Coordinates of all heavy atoms in Angstrom, one line a residue:
I485 N -3.3 7.3 12.1 CA -4.7 7.1 12.2 C -5.4 8.2 12.9 O -6.4 8.8 12.4 CB -5.0 5.7 12.8 CG1 -4.6 4.6 11.8 CG2 -6.5 5.6 13.2 CD1 -4.7 3.2 12.4
P486 N -5.0 8.6 14.1 CA -5.6 9.8 14.8 C -5.6 11.0 13.9 O -6.5 11.8 13.9 CB -4.9 9.9 16.1 CG -4.3 8.6 16.4 CD -4.0 8.0 15.0
L487 N -4.4 11.2 13.2 CA -4.3 12.4 12.4 C -5.2 12.4 11.2 O -5.9 13.5 11.0 CB -2.8 12.5 11.9 CG -2.5 13.7 11.1 CD1 -2.8 15.0 11.8 CD2 -1.0 13.7 10.6
V488 N -5.4 11.3 10.6 CA -6.3 11.3 9.4 C -7.8 11.4 9.9 O -8.6 12.0 9.2 CB -6.1 10.1 8.5 CG1 -6.7 8.8 9.1 CG2 -6.6 10.3 7.1
L489 N -8.1 10.9 11.0 CA -9.4 11.0 11.6 C -9.7 12.5 11.9 O -10.8 13.0 11.7 CB -9.6 10.1 12.8 CG -9.7 8.6 12.5 CD1 -9.7 7.8 13.8 CD2 -11.0 8.3 11.8
K490 N -8.7 13.1 12.5 CA -8.9 14.6 12.8 C -9.1 15.4 11.6 O -10.0 16.2 11.5 CB -7.6 15.1 13.5 CG -7.7 16.5 14.0 CD -6.5 17.0 14.7 CE -6.5 18.5 15.1 NZ -5.3 18.9 15.8
R491 N -8.4 15.1 10.5 CA -8.6 15.8 9.3 C -9.9 15.5 8.6 O -10.5 16.4 7.9 CB -7.4 15.5 8.3 CG -6.1 16.0 8.7 CD -5.0 15.6 7.7 NE -3.7 16.2 8.1 CZ -2.5 15.9 7.5 NH1 -2.5 15.2 6.5 NH2 -1.4 16.5 7.9
A492 N -10.4 14.3 8.8 CA -11.7 13.9 8.3 C -12.9 14.4 9.1 O -14.0 14.4 8.7 CB -11.8 12.4 8.1
G493 N -12.6 14.9 10.3 CA -13.6 15.3 11.2 C -14.4 14.1 11.8 O -15.6 14.3 12.1
L494 N -13.8 13.0 12.0 CA -14.5 11.8 12.4 C -13.8 11.3 13.7 O -12.7 11.6 14.0 CB -14.4 10.7 11.4 CG -15.0 11.0 10.0 CD1 -14.6 9.9 9.0 CD2 -16.5 11.1 10.1
D495 N -14.6 10.4 14.4 CA -14.1 9.6 15.5 C -13.9 8.2 15.0 O -14.6 7.8 14.0 CB -15.0 9.7 16.7 CG -15.1 11.0 17.3 OD1 -14.1 11.7 17.4 OD2 -16.3 11.4 17.7
I496 N -13.1 7.4 15.7 CA -12.9 6.0 15.3 C -14.2 5.2 15.3 O -14.4 4.3 14.5 CB -11.9 5.3 16.2 CG1 -11.4 4.0 15.6 CG2 -12.4 5.1 17.6 CD1 -10.7 4.2 14.3
A497 N -15.2 5.6 16.1 CA -16.5 5.0 16.2 C -17.3 5.2 14.9 O -18.2 4.4 14.6 CB -17.3 5.4 17.4
D498 N -16.9 6.2 14.1 CA -17.7 6.5 12.9 C -17.2 5.6 11.7 O -17.9 5.6 10.7 CB -17.4 8.0 12.5 CG -17.9 9.0 13.5 OD1 -19.0 8.7 14.1 OD2 -17.2 10.0 13.8
V499 N -16.1 4.9 11.9 CA -15.5 4.1 10.9 C -16.1 2.7 10.9 O -16.0 2.0 11.9 CB -14.0 4.1 11.0 CG1 -13.4 3.2 9.9 CG2 -13.4 5.5 10.9
A500 N -16.7 2.3 9.8 CA -17.3 0.9 9.8 C -16.3 -0.2 9.6 O -16.4 -1.2 10.3 CB -18.3 0.9 8.6
R501 N -15.2 0.1 8.8 CA -14.2 -1.0 8.6 C -12.9 -0.3 8.4 O -12.7 0.8 7.9 CB -14.6 -1.8 7.4 CG -15.9 -2.6 7.5 CD -16.0 -3.7 6.4 NE -17.2 -4.5 6.6 CZ -17.5 -5.5 5.9 NH1 -16.7 -5.9 4.9 NH2 -18.6 -6.2 6.2
L502 N -11.9 -1.1 8.9 CA -10.5 -0.6 8.7 C -9.7 -1.7 8.0 O -9.9 -2.9 8.3 CB -9.8 -0.3 10.1 CG -10.4 0.8 11.0 CD1 -11.5 0.2 11.9 CD2 -9.3 1.5 11.8
E503 N -8.7 -1.3 7.2 CA -7.7 -2.2 6.7 C -6.4 -1.7 7.3 O -5.9 -0.6 6.9 CB -7.7 -2.2 5.2 CG -8.8 -3.0 4.6 CD -8.6 -4.5 4.6 OE1 -7.4 -4.9 4.7 OE2 -9.6 -5.2 4.5
V504 N -5.7 -2.5 8.1 CA -4.4 -2.1 8.7 C -3.5 -3.2 8.3 O -3.6 -4.4 8.6 CB -4.5 -2.0 10.2 CG1 -3.1 -1.6 10.8 CG2 -5.5 -1.0 10.7
N505 N -2.5 -2.8 7.5 CA -1.6 -3.9 6.9 C -0.9 -4.7 7.9 O -0.3 -4.2 8.9 CB -0.6 -3.2 6.0 CG 0.1 -4.2 5.1 OD1 -0.5 -5.0 4.3 ND2 1.4 -4.3 5.2
E506 N -1.0 -6.0 7.7 CA -0.3 -6.9 8.6 C 1.1 -7.3 8.2 O 1.3 -8.4 7.7 CB -1.2 -8.2 8.7 CG -2.6 -8.0 9.3 CD -3.5 -9.2 9.1 OE1 -3.1 -10.2 8.5 OE2 -4.7 -9.2 9.6
A507 N 2.0 -6.4 8.3 CA 3.4 -6.8 8.0 C 3.8 -7.9 8.9 O 4.5 -8.8 8.5 CB 4.3 -5.6 8.2
F508 N 3.4 -7.8 10.1 CA 3.5 -8.9 11.1 C 2.3 -8.9 11.9 O 1.6 -7.9 12.1 CB 4.7 -8.6 12.0 CG 6.0 -8.5 11.3 CD1 6.5 -7.3 10.9 CD2 6.8 -9.6 11.1 CE1 7.7 -7.1 10.2 CE2 8.1 -9.5 10.4 CZ 8.5 -8.3 10.0
A509 N 1.9 -10.1 12.5 CA 0.8 -10.1 13.4 C 1.0 -9.1 14.5 O 0.0 -8.5 15.0 CB 0.5 -11.5 13.9
A510 N 2.2 -9.0 14.9 CA 2.5 -8.0 16.0 C 2.1 -6.6 15.7 O 1.7 -5.8 16.6 CB 4.0 -8.1 16.3
V511 N 2.2 -6.2 14.4 CA 1.7 -4.9 14.0 C 0.2 -4.7 14.3 O -0.2 -3.7 14.8 CB 2.1 -4.6 12.5 CG1 1.4 -3.3 12.1 CG2 3.6 -4.6 12.3
G512 N -0.5 -5.7 13.9 CA -2.0 -5.7 14.1 C -2.3 -5.6 15.5 O -3.1 -4.8 16.0
V513 N -1.7 -6.5 16.4 CA -2.0 -6.5 17.8 C -1.6 -5.2 18.4 O -2.3 -4.6 19.3 CB -1.3 -7.7 18.5 CG1 -1.5 -7.6 20.0 CG2 -1.8 -9.0 17.9
A514 N -0.4 -4.6 18.1 CA 0.1 -3.4 18.7 C -0.8 -2.2 18.4 O -1.2 -1.5 19.3 CB 1.5 -3.1 18.1
N515 N -1.3 -2.1 17.2 CA -2.2 -1.0 16.8 C -3.5 -1.1 17.5 O -4.1 -0.1 17.9 CB -2.3 -0.8 15.3 CG -1.0 -0.2 14.7 OD1 -1.0 1.0 14.6 ND2 -0.1 -1.0 14.3
E516 N -4.0 -2.3 17.6 CA -5.3 -2.5 18.3 C -5.1 -2.1 19.8 O -6.0 -1.4 20.3 CB -5.6 -4.0 18.3 CG -6.2 -4.5 17.0 CD -6.6 -6.0 17.1 OE1 -6.5 -6.6 18.2 OE2 -6.9 -6.6 16.1
R517 N -4.1 -2.5 20.4 CA -3.9 -2.2 21.8 C -3.7 -0.7 22.1 O -4.3 -0.1 23.0 CB -2.7 -2.9 22.4 CG -3.0 -4.4 22.5 CD -1.9 -5.1 23.3 NE -2.1 -6.5 23.5 CZ -1.3 -7.3 24.1 NH1 -0.2 -6.9 24.6 NH2 -1.6 -8.6 24.2
V518 N -2.9 0.0 21.3 CA -2.6 1.4 21.6 C -3.8 2.3 21.3 O -4.1 3.2 22.0 CB -1.4 1.8 20.7 CG1 -1.2 3.3 20.8 CG2 -0.1 1.1 21.1
L519 N -4.5 1.9 20.2 CA -5.7 2.8 19.8 C -7.0 2.3 20.3 O -8.0 2.9 20.1 CB -5.7 2.9 18.3 CG -4.5 3.6 17.6 CD1 -4.6 3.6 16.1 CD2 -4.4 5.0 18.1
G520 N -7.0 1.1 20.9 CA -8.3 0.6 21.4 C -9.2 0.2 20.3 O -10.4 0.4 20.4
L521 N -8.7 -0.4 19.2 CA -9.5 -0.7 18.0 C -10.3 -2.0 18.2 O -9.9 -2.9 19.0 CB -8.6 -0.9 16.8 CG -7.7 0.4 16.4 CD1 -6.8 0.0 15.2 CD2 -8.6 1.6 16.1
D522 N -11.4 -2.1 17.5 CA -12.3 -3.2 17.6 C -11.8 -4.2 16.5 O -12.0 -3.9 15.3 CB -13.7 -2.8 17.4 CG -14.7 -3.9 17.4 OD1 -14.3 -5.1 17.5 OD2 -15.9 -3.6 17.3
R523 N -11.3 -5.4 16.9 CA -10.8 -6.3 15.9 C -11.9 -6.8 14.9 O -11.5 -7.2 13.8 CB -10.2 -7.5 16.6 CG -9.5 -8.5 15.7 CD -8.7 -9.6 16.4 NE -7.6 -9.1 17.2 CZ -6.7 -9.9 17.8 NH1 -6.8 -11.2 17.7 NH2 -5.7 -9.3 18.5
S524 N -13.1 -6.8 15.3 CA -14.2 -7.3 14.4 C -14.3 -6.3 13.2 O -14.9 -6.7 12.2 CB -15.5 -7.4 15.2 OG -16.0 -6.1 15.6
K525 N -13.8 -5.1 13.3 CA -13.9 -4.1 12.2 C -12.6 -4.1 11.3 O -12.6 -3.5 10.3 CB -14.1 -2.7 12.7 CG -15.5 -2.5 13.4 CD -15.5 -1.0 13.8 CE -16.9 -0.7 14.4 NZ -17.0 0.8 14.7
I526 N -11.6 -4.8 11.8 CA -10.3 -4.7 11.1 C -10.0 -5.9 10.2 O -10.1 -7.0 10.7 CB -9.1 -4.5 12.1 CG1 -9.4 -3.4 13.1 CG2 -7.8 -4.3 11.5 CD1 -8.5 -3.3 14.3
N527 N -9.6 -5.7 9.0 CA -9.2 -6.7 8.1 C -10.2 -7.9 8.1 O -9.9 -9.0 8.3 CB -7.8 -7.3 8.4 CG -6.7 -6.2 8.4 OD1 -7.0 -5.1 7.9 ND2 -5.6 -6.5 8.9
V528 N -11.5 -7.5 7.8 CA -12.6 -8.5 8.0 C -12.5 -9.7 7.1 O -13.0 -10.7 7.4 CB -13.9 -7.8 7.8 CG1 -14.2 -6.7 8.9 CG2 -14.0 -7.1 6.5
N529 N -11.7 -9.5 6.0 CA -11.6 -10.6 5.1 C -10.1 -11.2 5.1 O -9.7 -11.7 4.1 CB -12.0 -10.2 3.7 CG -13.5 -9.9 3.6 OD1 -14.3 -10.6 4.3 ND2 -13.8 -9.0 2.7
G530 N -9.4 -11.0 6.2 CA -8.0 -11.4 6.3 C -7.1 -10.3 5.9 O -7.5 -9.3 5.2
G531 N -5.8 -10.4 6.3 CA -4.9 -9.4 6.0 C -3.6 -10.0 5.4 O -3.6 -11.1 4.9
A532 N -2.5 -9.2 5.4 CA -1.3 -9.6 4.7 C -0.7 -10.9 5.2 O 0.0 -11.6 4.4 CB -0.3 -8.5 4.7
V533 N -0.9 -11.2 6.5 CA -0.3 -12.5 7.0 C -0.9 -13.6 6.2 O -0.1 -14.6 5.8 CB -0.7 -12.6 8.5 CG1 -0.5 -14.1 8.9 CG2 0.1 -11.7 9.3
A534 N -2.1 -13.6 5.8 CA -2.8 -14.7 5.1 C -2.8 -14.4 3.6 O -2.8 -15.4 2.8 CB -4.2 -14.9 5.6
L535 N -2.9 -13.2 3.1 CA -3.1 -12.9 1.7 C -1.8 -12.5 1.0 O -1.7 -12.6 -0.2 CB -4.0 -11.7 1.6 CG -5.5 -12.0 2.1 CD1 -6.3 -10.7 2.0 CD2 -6.1 -13.0 1.2
G536 N -0.7 -12.2 1.8 CA 0.5 -11.9 1.2 C 0.8 -10.4 1.2 O -0.1 -9.6 1.3
H537 N 2.1 -10.0 1.1 CA 2.5 -8.6 1.2 C 3.5 -8.3 0.1 O 4.7 -8.4 0.2 CB 3.2 -8.5 2.6 CG 3.6 -7.1 2.9 ND1 3.3 -6.0 2.2 CD2 4.4 -6.6 4.0 CE1 3.8 -4.9 2.8 NE2 4.5 -5.3 3.8
A538 N 3.0 -7.9 -1.1 CA 3.8 -7.4 -2.2 C 4.1 -6.0 -2.0 O 3.3 -5.1 -2.3 CB 3.0 -7.7 -3.5
L539 N 5.3 -5.7 -1.5 CA 5.6 -4.4 -0.8 C 5.0 -3.2 -1.5 O 4.2 -2.4 -0.9 CB 7.1 -4.2 -0.7 CG 7.9 -5.3 0.0 CD1 9.3 -4.9 0.1 CD2 7.3 -5.5 1.4
G540 N 5.3 -2.9 -2.8 CA 4.9 -1.7 -3.4 C 3.4 -1.6 -3.7 O 2.8 -0.5 -3.9

Side-chain angles (χ1 to χ4, degrees):
I485 290 173
L487 180 58
V488 78
L489 287 172
K490 181 180 179 180
R491 291 178 178 177
L494 299 172
D495 294 320
I496 193 63
D498 298 320
V499 178
R501 294 192 177 188
L502 299 90
E503 285 281 336
V504 180
N505 192 58
E506 299 170 355
F508 302 90
V511 172
V513 177
N515 282 272
E516 282 181 8
R517 287 191 180 178
V518 173
L519 296 177
L521 303 177
D522 180 354
R523 186 174 294 186
S524 68
K525 292 183 175 183
I526 306 171
N527 302 349
V528 293
N529 294 327
V533 166
L535 296 172
H537 184 10
L539 301 184

